[in-house]
């Protein structure tokens, strides 16, 4: 598949802290696509932060907003989208992602995720007493969903965006040119 010829979207999925936004920005630049972070899009549309949405509307309210953003993005082309960690929870989101683009699952070890997110107050689901336990629960719930929608699974935590780009482009069928 030559992703650039089709101008379909590329979606990055995975748990919070996996590096979706960092990798998506670098990949969008390399492909000359538009970068979109679905969580930032929700914040832009509502004018409030994710923690505020969770506080007022709960997770269900947030998931409804997220589903609308995913549906809207799926209608566009030429986007690299960093999805929220829970975007795969709704079957309609998984279908939209699979039907409108190439999906890359960034699977990062839980301890690494915990290190990356431990001081981030914009992670409503991790604001409890044991973030590592919560990440483990989220991984058990979501890993099969990420895998079910992924065209490519990338495992590990030591790859930088620049070292990962050639691999992603090769796997996506696009030659790497410096």
């Amino acid at each position: 598949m030559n992703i650039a010829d089709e101008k379909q979207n590329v979606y990055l999925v995975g748990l919070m802290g996996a590096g979706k936004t960092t990798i998506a920005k670098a990949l969008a630049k390399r492909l000359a696509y538009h970068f979109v972070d679905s969580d930032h899009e929700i914040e832009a549309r509502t004018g409030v932060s994710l923690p505020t949405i969770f506080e007022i509307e709960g997770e269900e309210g947030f998931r409804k907003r997220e589903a609308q953003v995913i549906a809207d993005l799926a209608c566009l082309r030429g986007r690299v989208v960093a999805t929220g960690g829970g975007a795969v929870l709704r079957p309609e989101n998984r279908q939209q992602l699979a039907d409108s683009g190439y999906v890359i699952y960034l699977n990062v070890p839980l301890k690494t995720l915990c290190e990356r997110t431990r001081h981030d107050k914009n992670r409503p689901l991790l604001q409890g007493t044991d973030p590592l336990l919560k990440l483990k629960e989220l991984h058990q719930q979501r890993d099969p969903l990420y895998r079910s929608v992924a065209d490519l699974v990338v495992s590990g935590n030591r790859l930088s965006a620049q070292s990962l780009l050639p691999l992603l482009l090769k796997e996506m069928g696009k030659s790497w040119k410096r």
Side-chain angles (χ1 to χ4, degrees), residues 70-124:
I70 296 291
D72 293 349
L73 292 172
C75 293
L76 303 174
R77 292 289 173 258
R79 305 292 189 273
V80 178
V81 180
T83 65
V88 297
L89 293 173
R90 289 180 175 233
E92 64 268 26
N93 289 353
R94 294 193 303 275
Q95 192 66 53
Q96 294 273 1
L97 297 174
D99 289 349
S100 67
Y102 189 89
V103 182
I104 301 168
Y105 169 26
L106 299 180
N107 184 22
V108 175
L110 296 177
K111 287 185 180 180
T112 301
L113 295 176
C114 194
E115 289 169 16
R116 291 178 181 174
T117 60
R118 70 176 180 247
H119 298 300
D120 190 341
K121 300 300 180 205
N122 286 320
R123 310 279 184 181

Side-chain angles (χ1 to χ4, degrees), residues 135-178:
L135 284 167
K136 183 177 181 181
E137 291 169 359
L138 291 172
H139 183 265
Q140 287 173 340
Q141 175 192 30
R142 296 176 183 178
D143 181 68
L145 301 175
Y146 295 138
R147 290 179 186 280
S148 75
V149 74
D151 294 296
L152 174 65
V153 177
V154 178
S155 296
N157 65 342
R158 298 290 180 230
L159 292 174
S160 69
Q162 291 308 312
S163 64
L164 190 54
L165 281 180
L167 168 70
L168 295 179
L169 293 168
K170 179 182 176 193
E171 292 297 323
M172 291 166 46
K174 178 155 178 66
S175 63
W176 175 250
K177 297 176 187 167
R178 293 178 196 246

